Amino acid sequence: MSVITTYVRLRPDELAELRGLLVESPAEALEYADDLRMDDRGMDSGKAWDGLRHLLAKLAPPVDVISGGEPLTAGAWSADAPRLLTAEQVTAAAHFLSGTPFTSLARHYDPAELTLANVYPEAIWDEDWALEYLEDSYGNLVALFQAAAAGNEPIILWKS
């Protein structure tokens, strides 16, 4: 089983609906959030999330866009409790991400270091395509945060 991080931009009514579903039926909440993601309101990072976490940490971002935010449940929803980044956190993250080209992250890319640090998924960092894989996911992440910031929207994220 692989672990991915999923992100969804939320309008105020969607956040209220999601909060209600999290109390009533976590499974329905997951379906609801996933439907929003499929409606171009979100994305998933594939397995790139931990590599991005490792590289972003080298740059001291103002917001942890990989596993930050306020937990919305006790964790019964998935491998990780869904977390909410507020609209203010999203805006701060969007400014940072927009001003940080992937080349800034790539300068810190060291396959041996990623492997030694047990960065998930451990078996890919020596592959020729691994850096491009991270770059593609980073580009999607930047675009998502820019769109959410433009709409003054929070983002929910979770690992599954």
Side-chain angles (χ1 to χ4, degrees):
M1 180 175 101
S2 62
V3 177
I4 65 171
T5 301
T6 302
Y7 299 83
V8 177
R9 298 169 29 209
L10 297 170
R11 296 179 182 111
D13 60 316
E14 294 166 341
L15 179 56
E17 176 73 15
L18 183 64
R19 284 185 187 274
L21 287 171
L22 283 167
V23 171
E24 296 167 20
S25 173
E28 285 183 44
L30 176 59
E31 281 183 42
Y32 178 73
D34 205 43
D35 287 347
L36 292 173
R37 180 184 63 86
M38 299 302 280
D39 288 342
D40 292 330
R41 307 260 320 128
M43 62 162 278
D44 73 64
S45 65
K47 298 179 199 175
W49 63 272
D50 203 24
L52 291 175
R53 178 203 53 79
H54 184 82
L55 296 175
L56 283 166
K58 305 268 185 188
L59 303 176
V63 177
D64 179 356
V65 298
I66 305 301
S67 55
E70 168 197 349
L72 294 179
T73 69
W77 195 22
S78 65
D80 188 35
R83 305 182 76 75
L84 179 71
L85 294 173
T86 65
E88 294 78 20
Q89 290 171 313
V90 167
T91 297
H95 287 305
F96 175 82
L97 295 171
S98 297
T100 306
F102 183 76
T103 54
S104 297
L105 279 73
R107 283 187 212 120
H108 299 282
Y109 183 77
D110 178 350
E113 179 185 328
L114 290 162
T115 301
L116 185 62
N118 297 317
V119 173
Y120 177 85
E122 297 168 25
I124 73 165
W125 304 121
D126 285 326
E127 300 292 335
D128 293 340
W129 50 265
L131 188 61
E132 185 177 328
Y133 178 64
L134 291 172
E135 184 175 17
D136 288 346
S137 188
Y138 184 73
N140 293 334
L141 193 66
V142 172
L144 178 76
F145 273 79
Q146 288 172 333
N152 196 36
E153 299 168 327
I155 290 178
I156 187 173
L157 59 116
W158 70 93
K159 290 180 181 62
S160 59

